[in-house]
């Protein structure tokens, strides 16, 4: 890695194979927006490569340009992501691999000894990833690897960014290149869940404080969904409807659909009784 040049980051964020929609890569946008707001100096020294988010894009992955490979791992993608980590290291032995996502935490650390992965990120990934990138920019690869244990500690964001990946234009090229398909956007208006249900497989956000996304950001994003003709919207909140403001959010979604015809369908996890 040439530390005098921008660090090139490639995010691989694969949706589940069974989907017929094109699902915009939520992790890619979340990482970029978070670093843009809270690690701005670091973000100016990063060159983000086009993300890999469709399974068909895996046929000829080219890792030669990337310095950092960021892998978002779910139950449907963990084995593929680990294979990509191995292929990346074969092409780029000095590159950095960062693995995070729900499956990393659910697995309870059983992957931690895999040599192809330099950093495992547990639970929320924006803050650890920001600190890893800051260290790479300021201290280089060798010094950053020595601090692996520090970076792998869970450090949740104290607040969610007001910066929106949608409004930054990060998804505009992806929307245009998939215009002939139905596009699904992954969207959160809150993060966290106050409940601790014994049957729940939600992950790391249960029994935790509910943090709200800025309402002005939410309003502008809803208008963006209508303007960009986003066909499907998946609200990732653990309990949509738990807050009084959720009624206003639902009404604005309905109004936007009436005016533009989009989003055509919305999925949500609703508040528990």
């Amino acid at each position: 890695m040439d530390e005098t040049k921008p660090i090139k980051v490639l995010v691989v964020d694969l949706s589940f194979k069974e989907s017929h929609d094109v699902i915009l890569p939520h992790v890619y946008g979340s990482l970029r927006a978070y670093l843009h707001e809270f690690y701005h100096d670091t973000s100016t020294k990063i060159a983000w490569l086009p993300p890999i988010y469709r399974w068909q894009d895996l046929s000829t992955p080219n890792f030669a340009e990337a310095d950092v490979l960021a892998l978002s791992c779910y139950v449907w993608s963990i084995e593929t992501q680990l294979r990509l980590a191995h292929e990346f290291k074969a092409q780029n032995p000095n590159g950095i691999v960062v693995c995070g996502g729900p499956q990393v935490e659910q697995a309870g650390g059983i992957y931690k000894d895999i040599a192809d992965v330099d950093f495992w990120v547990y639970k929320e990934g924006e803050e650890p990833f920001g600190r890893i990138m800051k260290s790479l920019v300021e201290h280089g690869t060798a010094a950053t690897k020595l601090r692996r244990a520090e970076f792998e500690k869970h450090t949740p964001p104290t607040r969610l960014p007001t910066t929106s990946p949608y409004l930054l234009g990060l998804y505009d090229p992806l929307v245009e290149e998939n215009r002939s398909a139905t596009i699904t956007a992954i969207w959160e208006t809150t993060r966290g869940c106050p409940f601790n249900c014994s049957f729940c497989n939600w992950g790391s956000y249960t029994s935790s404080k509910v943090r709200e996304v800025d309402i002005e950001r939410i309003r502008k994003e809803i208008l963006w969904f209508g303007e960009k003709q986003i066909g499907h919207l998946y609200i990732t909140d653990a309990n949509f409807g738990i807050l009084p403001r959720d009624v206003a959010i639902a009404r604005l979604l309905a109004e936007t659909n009436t005016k533009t015809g989009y989003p055509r369908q919305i999925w949500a996890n609703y508040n528990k009784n």
Side-chain angles (χ1 to χ4, degrees):
M1 188 183 299
D2 186 342
E3 289 149 17
T4 65
K5 298 179 179 179
I7 297 176
K8 296 180 180 179
V9 176
L10 173 61
V11 176
V12 182
D13 185 8
L14 298 166
S15 61
F16 48 93
K17 282 185 177 180
E18 290 75 12
S19 175
H20 298 292
D21 295 0
V22 171
I23 302 178
L24 298 178
H26 178 68
V27 170
Y28 166 74
S30 296
L31 292 176
R32 287 196 62 174
Y34 190 87
L35 266 67
H36 177 85
E37 183 164 332
F38 298 116
Y39 288 89
H40 187 71
D41 288 346
T42 297
S43 70
T44 62
K45 298 176 178 63
I46 296 174
W48 298 86
L49 300 176
I52 295 176
Y53 61 102
R54 299 172 301 191
W55 286 86
Q56 62 262 35
D57 297 333
L58 294 176
S59 57
T60 54
N62 182 9
F63 299 128
E65 289 189 35
D67 300 308
V68 176
L69 182 67
L71 303 172
S72 178
C73 303
Y74 289 78
V75 64
W76 58 79
S77 64
I78 179 68
E79 298 303 327
T80 298
Q81 298 288 47
L82 294 178
R83 175 176 59 80
L84 293 178
H86 183 72
E87 292 177 6
F88 174 79
K89 285 291 190 177
Q91 294 184 33
N92 191 349
N94 295 319
I96 296 290
V97 175
V98 182
C99 258
Q103 192 61 19
V104 170
E105 181 189 356
Q106 293 285 352
I110 63 172
Y111 301 111
K112 64 182 176 62
D113 294 325
I114 294 177
D116 296 316
V117 177
D118 298 288
F119 298 98
W120 295 100
V121 173
Y122 301 96
K123 301 190 178 183
E124 296 168 85
E126 296 100 328
E127 179 60 24
F129 188 77
R131 291 189 294 114
I132 290 170
M133 294 308 303
K134 184 174 186 290
S135 180
L136 287 172
V137 167
E138 294 180 354
H139 306 295
T141 304
T144 300
K145 285 186 176 182
L146 288 174
R147 301 168 64 192
R148 175 174 178 170
E150 172 190 343
F151 292 130
E152 290 182 343
K153 292 178 181 177
H154 178 224
T155 51
T158 55
R159 54 197 174 100
L160 302 178
T162 58
T163 303
S164 164
Y166 300 104
L167 305 179
L168 280 178
L170 304 183
Y171 293 119
D172 289 4
L174 308 187
V175 170
E176 290 308 313
E177 73 182 22
N178 293 287
R179 183 50 71 189
S180 61
T182 299
I183 296 174
T184 293
I186 307 296
W187 190 50
E188 63 178 354
T189 72
T190 63
R191 187 181 295 182
C193 178
F195 305 113
N196 193 23
C197 304
S198 60
F199 58 82
C200 184
N201 192 34
W202 189 264
S204 59
Y205 299 154
T206 57
S207 191
S208 63
K209 180 180 178 181
V210 176
R211 286 160 289 162
E212 302 175 27
V213 174
D214 178 72
I215 191 64
E216 287 305 313
R217 169 183 161 180
I218 287 173
R219 290 193 181 103
K220 292 176 182 177
E221 287 179 336
I222 291 173
L223 297 178
W224 187 91
F225 297 142
E227 175 190 343
K228 297 297 182 180
Q229 300 181 344
I230 301 303
H232 295 159
L233 185 65
Y234 180 53
I235 303 175
T236 63
D237 301 19
N239 299 280
F240 187 69
I242 196 172
L243 300 175
R245 73 174 194 169
D246 291 346
V247 176
I249 293 172
R251 284 176 175 156
L252 184 54
L253 284 166
E255 291 169 5
T256 301
N257 171 269
T258 299
K259 291 177 181 177
T260 68
Y262 295 90
R264 291 176 175 170
Q265 189 171 9
I266 298 171
W267 299 287
N269 306 290
Y270 296 106
N271 186 30
K272 284 67 176 175
N273 293 327

